[in-house]
Amino acid sequence: MTFETYQELLNQINHHMDLYYNQDQTEISDYEYDQLMQQLKAAEAKHPDWVRPDSPSQKIGGTAKREAGVKVEHNVPMLSIEDVFDFQSVTDWVNKVQELHPDAIFSVEQKIDGLSMSLRYRGGRLELAETRGDGHVGEDVTQNARAIPQVLTELPITDPYLELRGEVYMTRDKFEAYNTRQEKEGKPLAANPRNLAAGTLRQLDPKITAERGLNLFLFNVQDGEPDFMRSQLYNLDRLSAMGLPVTYHKRAEDAGEVIAAIEEIGGLRGQLAYDIDGAVVKIDQIAYRKDFPAGTKYSAGHIAYKYPPEEKVVEMDRILVDVGRTGKLTFTGQFHDAKTGEPARLCGTSVSRATLHNQDYIRQMKIGIGGHYKLFKSGEIIPKLNGCVKEPEAVFEPPRLCPVCGEELEQEEGTADIRCVNPSCPAQLSRTIGYFAGRSCMDIAGLGQTLIDALCEEKIMGTRTSYLTSYVDIYRLKDHREELISRGILGKEKNTDKILAAIEASKSQSPARLLAGLGIRNVGLSTAAALMAVYPDLMGLMDVRSEELQKIPDIGERTAADIVHFFAHEDKRQMMADFKELGLTMKMPKEEKTRALAGLTIVVTGTLPNLGRSEAKDLIEKNGGKCTGSVSGKTDYLLAGEAAGSKLDKAKSLGIPVIDEEGLRALIEEK
Ligand SMILES: [Zn+2]
């Protein structure tokens, strides 16, 4: 993933979060949303330097935000547990503990994959239930907690204060039942039991919590009388004797017993009614824990062993062929667990589909109906096939005709991609329009994919001309205002007018966005901006020859050919004329046009006589140039001052012209 696609992904997620949290709307399913988040997290794991504190990955589940909830400051912080991934680390830790405290023993417990909740009892009566939130401030969920059968509102003790911590979870059966119901009602599905449990515990209406069905295991005494502050195993026994459900646990006296307990718990994983995501090892003697601190985020005297990714063997049932926005065919394998006949269970989620990438992948992996394949989750995120175990009778052959429009497909030269090149293919139309109207292009607020699908739909049904048969039609929707309102396609009058106003407002978007929205292959927003910097009039750009286009940085032969090819179509030229007629901005504003350094990439190094480093950068950018940090084949000039080091050497070795401050000023004046 490039930084640019990462940023597009960020924008997309922020947009959906805003819709969900602030406008109480959704354009995509929970599943699709989770997929986006997972892509984001995967990218951030690979490029930690990209992550900013305002990234959605840093907010989700991390902050105690929810307008509806009442916030509660925890008496005792609800910390996480530090993860370890191999037995050696567990053994080392246990040995270290016993070196200092030879009599230390351990409680090895299932780590339930749910969400944490604390219960405060005063005089044996339940006073407050709170979610974990960010570890220090959570949310009051007392009403909903009462709807969980295992939460006792009265304990058979009269201790002045007792605070317990446990894990709220949903069983797989209840999770599947929920999704089946949702599917029947055409509503979005929950991604996994943990997410659903979290959403259920935070419902505003406790009746819904009760209906869906949550469960609880207790695993810790947070605070209480001295008798409760000595031994973990004793506490669990006592809670159990009071009728409270406690987490499955084993007593272990040394490293060998700890490992054996972890293995036993791991072996039970598949057979439990709920999901676990590890085993927790705790020092039984609570007083000893403080000698093994683990930083401010983690509980002292605890470690969590994470089981390696599960692998399952699946049997291929179907291969689904879909047509993407650019006409590219995508293949998705649908399968079941070869052993159980059910969807495969992996890392707490049900998996019955995985992407098959392209034709090459399908051939290499020998994908076909009836074949058996290993399935695992990479980084516990995206399900992937991992080798063929039993070959199918026949390897899948991709279709020759587009599954949506029936037109002949084209195999793209030099790649494994197959495309539908029919520009009016309905599958692509709705999605191309969605992209055009989306965040990274015309950014028309409120006009999401679902509405666009609805506006395009009737064309697919073939009963009537649809409201949208091209991008231009978006700007003609206002002519159908009355009809749209009476049919409720964009909602009621208020929402319809809101969207129509957003459409009008989008006319003044930068022509670079308009250009990017056209869906010309390889022309995303940054390439479009580079093009517009040199050819500030979109109408003029239509007639630029391929050789000229290739002089622009980032534009190769192939992209140039795609651009020329696109504008060679008479209907595309008509579309551009229509845009102009409808009042869309076709020219870059004047100041942009006269930028002297447009299209030039300049690297600054050394100490300049008058300009500071950031002043030089500002000057370059103000004049339309691009400032980058390192010298490469794409660098046009190196601006070098006193004491220029390795960058100067590199520029020389690459034959890149070196200029000084005066040279830069001359460059700006000259043009
Ligand atoms: Zn098609």
Side-chain angles (χ1 to χ4, degrees):
M1 186 179 288
T2 64
F3 184 60
E4 202 199 337
T5 27
Y6 168 76
Q7 280 184 315
E8 274 176 24
L9 187 61
L10 266 187
N11 289 340
Q12 252 183 310
I13 292 174
N14 280 327
H15 166 66
H16 292 303
M17 273 177 83
D18 177 57
L19 275 183
Y20 183 80
Y21 286 109
N22 303 325
Q23 304 179 39
D24 214 18
Q25 288 178 21
T26 49
E27 283 174 358
I28 56 173
S29 68
D30 286 3
Y31 179 78
E32 287 169 309
Y33 178 79
D34 285 342
Q35 295 286 309
L36 292 178
M37 276 305 288
Q38 284 167 353
Q39 284 175 25
L40 185 83
K41 285 185 191 159
E44 291 182 345
K46 247 189 186 167
H47 306 278
D49 52 314
W50 291 355
V51 188
R52 286 179 321 197
D54 62 348
S55 164
S57 67
Q58 308 297 298
K59 288 187 237 169
I60 293 264
T63 48
K65 94 177 220 186
R66 190 158 154 272
E67 312 306 329
V70 177
K71 287 171 185 172
V72 187
E73 196 166 333
H74 300 315
N75 274 341
V76 181
M78 294 170 75
L79 302 174
S80 313
I81 300 173
E82 194 170 18
D83 288 330
V84 298
F85 297 92
D86 56 78
F87 287 159
Q88 191 57 51
S89 309
V90 177
T91 305
D92 291 349
W93 185 81
V94 169
N95 289 341
K96 199 175 78 188
V97 172
Q98 290 190 325
E99 237 163 68
L100 191 63
H101 298 291
D103 64 333
I105 58 167
F106 302 87
S107 175
V108 184
E109 306 173 3
Q110 282 180 352
K111 189 166 188 290
I112 315 289
D113 193 14
L115 71 151
S116 230
M117 179 171 78
S118 279
L119 302 171
R120 298 186 194 179
Y121 289 92
R122 225 172 268 280
R125 302 184 81 112
L126 179 66
E127 181 188 69
L128 186 70
E130 62 210 82
T131 62
R132 179 167 175 274
D134 65 359
H136 299 279
V137 177
E139 200 177 302
D140 181 343
V141 288
T142 313
Q143 292 310 315
N144 292 352
R146 288 175 193 274
I148 301 173
Q150 294 88 353
V151 172
L152 301 184
T153 50
E154 302 255 0
L155 297 180
I157 52 167
T158 52
D159 293 19
Y161 188 74
L162 179 66
E163 185 173 329
L164 305 174
R165 179 171 171 184
E167 194 83 353
V168 175
Y169 66 95
M170 186 175 275
T171 61
R172 288 176 194 154
D173 285 352
K174 285 182 181 152
F175 168 73
E176 305 291 354
Y178 170 85
N179 269 354
T180 310
R181 257 192 334 267
Q182 289 289 103
E183 202 164 14
K184 260 191 207 147
E185 295 167 15
K187 291 181 186 163
L189 304 186
N192 57 50
R194 184 189 57 240
N195 286 8
L196 183 57
T200 302
L201 185 63
R202 297 169 75 218
Q203 285 294 313
L204 291 178
D205 182 358
K207 260 190 268 165
I208 298 178
T209 311
E211 265 165 34
R212 291 188 193 167
L214 292 175
N215 298 77
L216 171 80
F217 277 122
L218 292 162
F219 61 77
N220 201 45
V221 174
Q222 300 285 92
D223 197 6
E225 290 296 289
D227 187 37
F228 267 122
M229 302 314 289
R230 282 195 273 269
S231 153
Q232 171 74 5
L233 290 161
Y234 167 79
N235 285 350
L236 293 180
D237 286 348
R238 237 190 116 184
L239 295 179
S240 184
M242 283 193 247
L244 290 163
V246 299
T247 301
Y248 177 86
H249 57 282
K250 304 276 289 182
R251 179 181 196 275
E253 293 199 348
D254 57 29
E257 286 188 16
V258 168
I259 301 291
I262 291 175
E263 281 183 321
E264 188 203 308
I265 288 172
L268 292 171
R269 268 199 293 178
Q271 303 155 38
L272 301 170
Y274 48 88
D275 293 318
I276 64 172
D277 59 353
V280 184
V281 186
K282 301 176 182 173
I283 303 175
D284 176 63
Q285 293 95 332
I286 293 166
Y288 294 170
R289 291 182 182 170
K290 65 174 184 337
D291 297 328
F292 302 93
T296 52
K297 264 175 75 185
Y298 303 112
S299 299
H302 288 56
I303 53 170
Y305 174 81
K306 289 289 216 182
Y307 295 101
E310 291 173 272
E311 203 175 68
K312 291 277 161 70
V313 173
V314 295
E315 181 178 340
M316 195 62 63
D317 297 318
R318 278 177 77 189
I319 287 134
L320 309 165
V321 185
D322 205 0
V323 186
R325 185 179 64 76
T326 58
K328 194 174 120 179
L329 255 59
T330 60
F331 304 95
T332 307
Q334 195 179 316
F335 42 72
H336 63 267
D337 189 316
K339 228 190 222 164
T340 65
E342 305 272 315
R345 295 291 311 177
L346 275 184
C347 314
T349 54
S350 260
V351 184
S352 53
R353 286 178 182 201
T355 174
L356 303 178
H357 305 285
N358 54 37
Q359 207 184 346
D360 280 359
Y361 177 87
I362 289 171
R363 278 204 203 108
Q364 261 168 32
M365 292 281 292
K366 302 194 176 77
I367 306 280
I369 311 293
H372 287 205
Y373 308 88
K374 280 192 270 185
L375 175 79
F376 78 111
K377 275 192 157 186
S378 56
E380 305 208 352
I381 296 173
I382 298 150
K384 269 189 185 157
L385 296 181
N386 186 28
C388 181
V389 183
K390 190 184 125 199
E391 288 187 25
E393 279 182 26
V395 171
F396 176 75
E397 277 297 326
R400 285 183 34 252
L401 302 180
C402 172
V404 177
C405 70
E407 289 281 310
E408 200 140 340
L409 295 165
E410 276 185 19
Q411 170 91 49
E412 195 177 329
E413 228 177 294
T415 76
D417 295 340
I418 302 172
R419 283 176 195 278
C420 168
V421 292
N422 172 12
S424 46
C425 174
Q428 294 169 64
L429 183 74
S430 164
R431 274 175 274 196
T432 43
I433 293 178
Y435 179 73
F436 179 87
R439 284 287 269 202
S440 46
C441 302
M442 299 307 273
D443 196 12
I444 303 173
L447 191 62
Q449 191 64 55
T450 318
L451 291 182
I452 290 170
D453 287 348
L455 290 163
C456 288
E457 199 172 20
E458 289 164 83
K459 166 95 175 193
I460 297 170
M461 307 301 286
T463 52
R464 165 190 196 286
T465 312
S466 107
Y467 292 104
L468 294 181
T469 57
S470 75
Y471 306 131
V472 172
D473 284 345
I474 295 176
Y475 296 96
R476 294 181 176 137
L477 279 174
K478 62 176 192 294
D479 303 340
H480 305 284
R481 180 180 173 270
E482 308 305 322
E483 197 180 321
L484 290 170
I485 292 169
S486 71
R487 304 185 59 198
I489 295 176
L490 300 177
K492 297 194 177 130
E493 183 167 354
K494 198 173 147 208
N495 205 44
T496 304
D497 284 336
K498 212 167 106 186
I499 292 172
L500 291 176
I503 291 172
E504 284 304 300
S506 78
K507 285 181 176 176
S508 57
Q509 287 286 17
S510 144
R513 283 176 168 265
L514 177 56
L515 176 58
L518 299 178
I520 303 172
R521 216 179 302 161
N522 299 323
V523 181
L525 192 51
S526 73
T527 306
L531 276 161
M532 295 305 298
V534 182
Y535 298 101
D537 183 358
L538 253 185
M539 300 309 279
L541 178 67
M542 290 200 289
D543 296 314
V544 179
R545 296 201 327 264
S546 168
E547 306 84 79
E548 295 299 316
L549 291 173
Q550 287 177 55
K551 290 182 184 162
I552 302 172
D554 299 346
I555 303 219
E557 198 184 327
R558 185 158 196 136
T559 308
D562 284 336
I563 296 166
V564 170
H565 179 75
F566 185 88
F567 288 121
H569 279 284
E570 194 41 52
D571 54 346
K572 299 286 164 36
R573 299 181 79 86
Q574 183 58 48
M575 174 174 79
M576 300 305 282
D578 289 344
F579 278 142
K580 194 175 173 188
E581 166 121 21
L582 285 159
L584 275 77
T585 309
M586 307 300 278
K587 280 188 194 174
M588 294 294 276
K590 270 251 159 54
E591 28 142 20
E592 309 266 332
K593 198 159 58 170
T594 53
R595 289 171 157 205
L597 303 178
L600 294 181
T601 300
I602 300 175
V603 175
V604 186
T605 186
T607 313
L608 300 170
N610 304 305
L611 292 171
R613 185 72 66 91
S614 66
E615 286 170 323
K617 190 170 175 264
D618 287 348
L619 184 65
I620 290 165
E621 285 175 353
K622 214 177 80 201
N623 284 281
K626 201 166 120 189
C627 229
T628 59
S630 60
V631 176
S632 74
K634 293 194 169 166
T635 309
D636 292 294
Y637 291 102
L638 178 74
L639 172 58
E642 282 290 310
S646 61
K647 288 181 186 168
L648 183 59
D649 298 337
K650 182 145 187 219
K652 281 182 179 159
S653 75
L654 291 171
I656 290 161
V658 178
I659 52 172
D660 56 10
E661 190 180 310
E662 217 170 291
L664 176 71
R665 294 197 188 275
L667 212 54
I668 294 167
E669 301 289 292
E670 198 181 283
K671 289 224 176 165

